[in-house]
């Protein structure tokens, strides 16, 4: 039995190191908040365990603490096709200032993700302005908020949960402290109830990098814009547009590529839109972007530059056919084999992860006989090449079927990419007294 695969494609220095990181001393525990009821629309603050990793220069081990956060929206009862503005507020971060030296104001730039569930899955990229009050020595870190948008694509209850977040600091050194949700997803903080409605905005953008020094260029790619439309690519600081802009024209398929020089230190996100002004219904983003400073050349110095070109997301297969083991007429049972190894290369260099899914047709046999697609199951596995920024996760064991299932994936993050090998054990449950003969089905793999 042969499923055929198709591809679809010193003190000051030490203080600076400790201070620049914002990963810090655990502020204490707390009970985990439970998920909100599916139909509830009232926003609630939730607690969830968080794992924060300081930069190695700090000499501080990873910190496991509790974050308190709350998600709010501007519209809790949207229609399909509406754009919903999301605010992710970290009420109590998982850390505090570990040293006696105070931190100055306006050095922290937060970015993060909000996880969608229920009637709509995926994530919302959020970013906050570079703004914070001074933090006393050994004092608690302040609350901060990040904003973003998503387009409603399905009716029903859509849950919103706090996701991973990162605090970038620009104080003597440029450093990041990523904080991830332990045992995701975090509890639900907000639920919106969507009803059927208008046209869905499917426009999307991706960035070649999530941060850069002042003046660096970032490659912005977009899809599903209006073919031939003029596109503005611009930096955002919350609800305001910054001085970083460029233009492009969508091709016949609605795609475009633009290079945006980001120099404004207030830029915390990047959007692309049609028309003369930002309109969430005719645009995409914002995607989080951090300006890390730089650009100043001291007297007697020479600035050296180079370019690392962003690549593509691709996959290859070790073959396009699998011979499953035979079974006896009258007895049936498991017809087994192994998926041809799939190699995934993510050389885009942006913040997006990827997902590899599969679906299978019915197995056709002699005389019109069939074995249902739901009879094929798999047990996925995935290995990450050392040095890769991302770590892949295997999908769940179970049925593949015509509806499909996830074979492997990597999450979105501040830095993603790498090389991965994906395998799976296959098992077709053949019913007893299935007609004798050869049966074949087509397993289609899709990488997005």
């Amino acid at each position: 039995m042969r499923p055929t695969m198709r591809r679809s494609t010193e003190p000051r220095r030490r203080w600076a190191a400790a201070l620049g990181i914002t990963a810090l001393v655990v502020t204490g525990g707390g009970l985990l908040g439970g998920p909100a009821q599916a139909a509830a629309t009232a926003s609630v603050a939730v607690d969830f365990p968080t794992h924060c990793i300081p930069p190695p220069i700090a000499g501080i081990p990873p910190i496991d603490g509790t974050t308190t956060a709350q998600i709010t929206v501007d519209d809790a009862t949207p229609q399909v096709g509406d754009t919903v503005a999301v605010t992710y507020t970290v009420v109590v971060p998982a850390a505090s200032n570990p040293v006696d030296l105070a931190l100055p104001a306006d050095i922290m730039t937060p970015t993060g993700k909000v996880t969608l569930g229920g009637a709509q899955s995926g994530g919302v990229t959020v970013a906050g302005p570079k703004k914070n009050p001074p933090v006393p020595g050994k004092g608690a870190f302040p609350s901060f908020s990040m904003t973003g948008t998503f387009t409603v694509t399905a009716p029903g209850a859509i849950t919103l949960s706090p996701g991973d977040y990162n605090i970038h600091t620009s104080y003597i050194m440029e450093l990041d402290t990523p904080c991830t949700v332990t045992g995701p997803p975090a509890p639900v903080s907000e639920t919106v109830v969507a009803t059927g409605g208008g046209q869905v905005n499917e426009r999307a953008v991706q960035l070649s990098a999530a941060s850069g020094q002042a003046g660096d260029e970032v490659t912005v790619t977009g899809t599903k814009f209006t073919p031939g439309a003029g596109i503005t690519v611009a930096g955002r600081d919350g609800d305001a547009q910054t001085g970083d802009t460029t233009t492009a024209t969508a091709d016949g398929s609605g795609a475009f590529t633009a290079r945006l020089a980001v120099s404004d230190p207030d830029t915390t996100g990047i959007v692309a839109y049609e028309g003369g002004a930002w309109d969430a219904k005719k645009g995409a983003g914002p995607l989080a972007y951090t300006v890390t400073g730089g650009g100043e050349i001291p007297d007697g110095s020479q600035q050296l530059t180079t370019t690392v070109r962003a690549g593509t997301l691709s996959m290859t297969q070790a073959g396009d056919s699998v011979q499953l083991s035979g079974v006896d007429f009258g007895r049936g049972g498991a017809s087994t084999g192994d998926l041809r190894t799939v190699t995934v290369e993510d050389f885009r260099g942006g913040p997006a992860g990827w997902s590899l899914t599969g679906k299978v047709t019915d197995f056709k046999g002699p005389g019109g006989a069939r074995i249902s697609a739901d009879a094929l199951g798999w047990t996925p596995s995935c290995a990450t090449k050392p040095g890769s920024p991302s770590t892949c996760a295997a999908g769940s064991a179970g049925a593949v079927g015509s509806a499909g299932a996830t074979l492997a994936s990597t999450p979105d993050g501040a830095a993603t990419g790498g090389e991965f090998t994906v395998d799976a054990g296959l098992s077709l449950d053949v019913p007893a007294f299935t007609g004798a003969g050869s049966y074949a089905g087509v397993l289609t793999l899709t990488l997005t």
Side-chain angles (χ1 to χ4, degrees):
M1 305 205 175
R2 184 189 303 270
T4 302
M5 299 181 294
R6 282 196 201 118
R7 186 189 319 169
S8 74
T9 303
E10 304 101 323
R12 178 177 176 81
R13 180 176 298 173
R14 291 292 297 175
W15 283 349
L19 293 173
I21 56 169
T22 70
L24 312 148
V25 175
V26 178
T27 58
L31 297 177
L32 298 183
Q37 296 298 317
T41 58
S43 171
V44 295
V46 295
D47 295 343
F48 55 95
T50 314
H51 182 72
C52 298
I53 302 177
I57 193 174
I60 300 174
I63 296 161
D64 292 295
T66 298
T67 297
T68 301
Q70 186 166 7
I71 309 296
T72 57
V73 297
D74 69 336
D75 185 358
T77 56
Q79 288 191 325
V80 173
D82 286 352
T83 299
V84 177
V86 180
T87 300
Y88 178 175
T89 300
V90 176
V91 182
V92 181
S96 63
N97 186 354
V99 297
D100 293 323
L101 190 63
L103 298 177
D106 302 337
I107 65 165
M108 299 163 54
T109 306
T111 57
K113 288 281 186 179
V114 173
T115 300
L116 302 179
Q120 184 172 337
S121 61
V124 182
T125 299
V126 292
K130 186 178 181 181
K131 186 174 182 61
N132 62 273
V135 181
K138 297 293 180 68
F141 275 95
S143 171
F144 55 84
S145 294
M146 305 166 284
T147 60
T149 62
F150 75 96
T151 300
V152 179
T153 60
I158 305 171
T159 61
L160 294 86
S161 301
D164 301 343
Y165 60 90
N166 179 74
I167 303 174
H168 179 83
T169 54
S170 301
Y171 180 52
I172 304 176
M173 303 176 70
E174 304 286 342
L175 297 169
D176 289 288
T177 298
C179 295
T180 58
V181 180
T182 303
V188 172
S189 175
E190 174 74 292
T191 301
V192 303
V193 179
T195 57
Q199 183 177 358
V200 176
N201 177 12
E202 296 183 303
R203 296 168 181 84
V205 290
Q206 289 188 337
L207 308 181
S208 62
S211 64
Q213 289 191 340
D216 285 356
E217 288 189 335
V218 58
T219 300
V220 184
T221 56
T223 57
K224 296 189 176 181
F225 284 74
T226 303
I231 309 298
T232 298
V233 180
R236 300 286 291 183
D237 177 21
D239 295 331
Q241 185 162 308
T242 68
D244 300 322
T245 61
T246 190
T247 60
T249 302
D251 63 17
S253 68
F256 74 87
T257 300
R259 295 185 64 83
L260 177 66
V262 184
S263 301
D264 193 323
D266 292 332
T267 294
T268 59
I270 294 174
V271 299
Y273 58 88
E274 302 173 23
W278 165 249
D279 182 349
K281 295 182 179 180
K282 293 186 177 181
L287 294 184
Y289 187 86
T290 302
V291 180
T292 60
E296 305 84 1
I297 304 176
D299 293 340
S301 301
Q302 299 181 26
Q303 182 177 7
L304 308 179
T305 63
T306 187
T307 301
V308 177
R309 291 182 293 272
T312 62
L313 174 66
S314 63
M315 73 174 186
T316 57
Q317 304 176 145
D320 62 3
S321 64
V322 177
Q323 180 65 56
L324 301 179
S325 64
V327 298
D328 295 330
F329 175 76
R331 296 185 181 277
S335 174
T336 60
D338 293 314
L339 182 75
R340 296 287 189 176
T341 298
V342 179
T343 300
V344 176
E345 294 182 337
D346 183 2
F347 294 160
R348 297 169 295 173
W354 54 262
S355 177
L356 180 60
T357 60
K359 61 182 178 180
V360 67
T361 64
D362 289 345
F363 287 71
K364 299 179 181 179
R370 289 174 179 259
I371 303 173
S372 171
D374 293 335
L376 182 69
W378 62 16
T379 304
S381 61
C382 187
T384 302
K385 183 176 180 179
S388 298
S390 299
T391 300
C392 69
S396 300
V400 182
S402 59
T406 298
L407 180 58
S409 63
T410 62
D412 295 346
T416 65
E419 298 181 65
F420 317 89
T421 54
V422 185
D423 296 280
L426 304 175
S427 179
L428 181 66
D429 185 11
V430 180
F433 298 104
T434 297
S438 178
Y439 292 74
V442 178
L443 175 63
T444 300
L445 301 179
T446 302
L447 179 64
T448 58

